[in-house]
Amino acid sequence: METLLTNQNETLKLSSSSEVLFNVTDDQFSKIITIQTDPENPRSLNIKYNTAITCTLNTRKAFSYTIAIYTGLDSPVNKTPEETFKIEPSSLSNGNVKITSNKFNFMSGQFIIGLSVSTPANTKKTLCSFSKLISGKQGATFYESLQVLSINATNQGFEIEVQSNALPGVNPQNNRDSIFLFKNNPVDEQIKGTRVIDSSSLATTIITTDSLVEGDQYAIGYFCGNLLGACSARQFFIINNIG
């Protein structure tokens, strides 16, 4: 934001924004950690995964997730999976699940194992992590992330600059992926601002909010498909000094 000062000769533009100091306290990601084939059954996989904390408007809640199987090693973005498995997280942050395929021997062939932060009906829209599986061996793993780059106070509130990194091949704008800003406390999370991400896989987004309070904790979340429950990444931060 700018203030205009005028004299007889010229008009000067003076910036009225100031930097806000903050401290990042935690990063959480919805992603596949490890994949192991079952030595007693080549059609079965043991999958360990982490999840970003998900929420509704007034309470924290663990949502359903989906494990999806794709054949080949090409990006699974916008593809229909060969099989899906709905899973109910046992906790808000991590889980282990065993799946058994009706179609595939995982010890032979090439596969993509995907994690979606929603039910099978929204697998395409909420795919947030995937890992390659080649002849029973886990390969490269991909997942989404975000981070606060800077916070500035302005005449009209605050501007938070956020950098997000989508999955390879994802167009966040077409998918309606969004960044949400929350005021976080042990009881609930209040939405303070939101913004749809642009078309870049590596994007910088400015979120505006009316107020931030020194000493309070906040969180930004990457939500797939603009669905409130579909959080693929989250970063928590505390406001140290507004100035």
Side-chain angles (χ1 to χ4, degrees), residues 29 143-147 163-166 222 232-233:
F29 310 100
Y143 58 96
E144 294 175 327
S145 63
L146 81 172
Q147 63 174 327
Q163 184 179 77
S164 57
N165 194 356
Y222 188 118
S232 65

Side-chain angles (χ1 to χ4, degrees), residues 49 51 53-57 59-66 86-89 91-92 117-119 228-231:
Y49 61 92
T51 63
I53 293 177
T54 52
C55 68
T56 63
L57 283 171
T59 183
R60 291 183 177 182
K61 178 182 178 182
F63 282 74
S64 298
Y65 290 80
T66 300
K86 181 180 177 181
I87 55 176
E88 302 292 343
S91 73
L92 287 173
V117 282
S118 186
T119 59
L228 188 59
C231 185

